Amino acid sequence: MSNSTEKILIIGAGGQIGLELAFELGKIYGNANIVASDIKENTALSSYIFETLDALNKDQLFAIVKKHKITQVYHLAALLSATGEQNPMFAWKLNMESLFHVLDLAKEKHIQKIYWPSSIAVFGPTTPRLNTPQFTVMEPSTIYGISKQAGERWCEWYFHKYNVDVRSIRYPGLIGWKSAPGGGTTDYAVHIFYEALKNKSYTCFLSETTALPMMHMEDAIRATLELMHSPNEKIKIRGSYNLSGLSFNPKQIAEEIKKHIPDFKINYQPDFRQAIADSWPQSINDLEAREHWGWKEYYDLPKLVANMLSHIKI
Ligand code: SER
């Protein structure tokens, strides 16, 4: 569809979500209508127009939007929960200022639509941990979570004040085989597959009973596109939508992997990421996403594990 009237800029296109989203957006809008940007070049993005972009550089961002007549921005650049704790002031700066730059572009009518991801990290130790509802106590304890929660409030404010069409999902941990995660607390659930295939053993940085909300990347990308393609009036939440896929702990995923690789062994050496995981929900209630725009997940744990093991090439 290279005659699409939409021109899409992906910020942070080289990241775990960006690489997969670029591919799917390319299928819908035509690769010639996708402008992939990242702080550094990435050979995996060679099928699209590529621009080097520091998401903190407003002038550079504006120049790219004008040059390519961008209509929509998927803003994915961020420091995640684990790296954010190592570099808190930079995490705050990057996650917040880059969001303002994109929201302002829409406020000034240079672009029409924004996608910006939030996270289960917006919840904290005082949040009910099981079947966590959309609207509940939110006292995040990581800088990443604080930045995402503040970002949600800003998105909603720009929507009400300036009618900015911004849409968002609170992603759980994302698990896919096409791209690698970086800097998150849920990353173990991707690393485990590579180690299982390579070494038949994995040392997990979370304890065996640490259950977290997770989702196959295919489901997450489909949810993102379904949300972005829903009619405006269906989007009743302009902060960010809870989204649930599945929920498991390291022991449960290891047991499922053992069904395919019987001599797989897992050990546990929790580190600083354990405290982050302990502050997050174990499962998510996403009633609103289901009711408002028809969300339904596909992957359960057996399907996810079989899919990952069959695609990863070591
Ligand atoms: N996967 C993210 C993290 O672990 C959560 O949004 O930081």
Side-chain angles (χ1 to χ4, degrees):
M1 210 205 279
S2 53
N3 58 353
S4 159
T5 52
E6 301 293 340
K7 262 276 172 113
I8 300 190
L9 173 65
I10 306 171
I11 303 176
Q16 187 196 12
I17 301 170
L19 285 169
E20 300 224 16
L21 199 53
F23 185 71
E24 294 303 321
L25 286 168
K27 283 204 273 188
I28 297 168
Y29 296 99
N31 286 358
N33 292 310
I34 308 301
V35 180
S37 73
D38 208 292
I39 191 113
K40 49 181 192 295
E41 272 194 63
N42 187 325
T43 49
L45 295 168
S46 57
S47 314
Y48 318 98
I49 301 164
F50 183 84
E51 293 279 2
T52 304
L53 171 66
D54 173 354
L56 287 171
N57 188 331
K58 190 174 188 177
D59 294 339
Q60 202 182 18
L61 170 63
F62 186 69
I64 291 170
V65 164
K66 287 287 106 188
K67 176 176 165 194
H68 296 286
K69 301 189 172 58
I70 297 296
T71 58
Q72 302 186 23
V73 173
Y74 286 71
H75 173 26
L76 309 173
L79 237 55
L80 296 199
S81 60
T83 27
E85 293 309 285
Q86 320 286 2
N87 204 343
M89 290 320 290
F90 180 66
W92 178 253
K93 186 178 168 68
L94 174 66
N95 296 2
M96 297 312 299
E97 286 180 23
S98 62
L99 175 60
F100 288 135
H101 296 339
V102 175
L103 288 169
D104 281 337
L105 282 172
K107 172 190 160 190
E108 291 153 16
K109 310 276 182 237
H110 300 296
I111 57 173
Q112 274 89 56
K113 219 186 218 184
I114 299 170
Y115 179 76
W116 172 82
S118 184
S119 159
I120 54 164
V122 293
F123 300 115
T126 53
T127 304
R129 296 192 69 201
L130 289 178
N131 209 21
T132 303
Q134 173 75 38
F135 304 107
T136 184
V137 179
M138 295 166 86
E139 295 185 311
S141 55
T142 61
I143 295 302
Y144 173 64
I146 297 170
S147 72
K148 288 293 180 187
Q149 196 204 22
E152 287 189 12
R153 306 273 47 83
W154 277 104
C155 287
E156 192 177 64
W157 188 82
Y158 269 75
F159 170 74
H160 286 302
K161 190 99 178 166
Y162 301 115
N163 207 20
V164 165
D165 187 357
V166 53
R167 304 177 181 200
S168 178
I169 286 170
R170 291 171 181 156
Y171 290 132
L174 300 181
I175 303 165
W177 49 270
K178 293 184 191 156
S179 59
T185 301
T186 56
D187 295 9
Y188 91 84
V190 177
H191 298 157
I192 193 170
F193 290 103
Y194 288 85
E195 294 303 314
L197 288 164
K198 229 188 304 175
N199 303 320
K200 297 193 170 91
S201 91
Y202 178 63
T203 302
C204 186
F205 57 75
L206 298 181
S207 73
E208 62 181 328
T209 55
T210 309
L212 286 169
M214 299 280 185
M215 181 174 282
H216 193 291
M217 185 62 92
E218 267 175 40
D219 272 350
I221 299 291
R222 183 169 54 82
T224 305
L225 297 173
E226 285 175 7
L227 174 71
M228 286 299 275
H229 294 148
S230 289
N232 212 23
E233 62 279 7
K234 293 209 170 183
I235 314 304
K236 299 191 177 83
I237 291 172
R238 295 293 178 157
S240 189
Y241 275 97
N242 272 11
L243 197 74
S244 164
L246 65 161
S247 188
F248 58 79
N249 64 35
K251 186 169 188 224
Q252 289 165 324
I253 192 174
E255 290 303 322
E256 193 61 40
I257 291 173
K258 271 188 214 166
K259 291 183 188 164
H260 301 260
I261 306 173
D263 46 353
F264 174 61
K265 299 250 172 327
I266 184 163
N267 306 297
Y268 301 93
Q269 272 176 28
D271 66 14
F272 74 100
R273 288 168 282 194
Q274 183 67 46
I276 299 177
D278 287 341
S279 77
W280 287 352
Q282 298 185 342
S283 57
I284 296 287
N285 182 321
D286 61 357
L287 187 74
E288 286 78 2
R290 285 168 202 269
E291 281 186 1
H292 296 180
W293 46 275
W295 166 243
K296 172 101 181 73
E297 78 287 354
Y298 169 73
Y299 280 94
D300 58 14
L301 187 57
K303 279 189 210 156
L304 182 144
V305 168
N307 174 274
M308 289 294 285
L309 291 174
S310 69
H311 283 99
I312 293 172
K313 303 271 171 288
I314 295 295

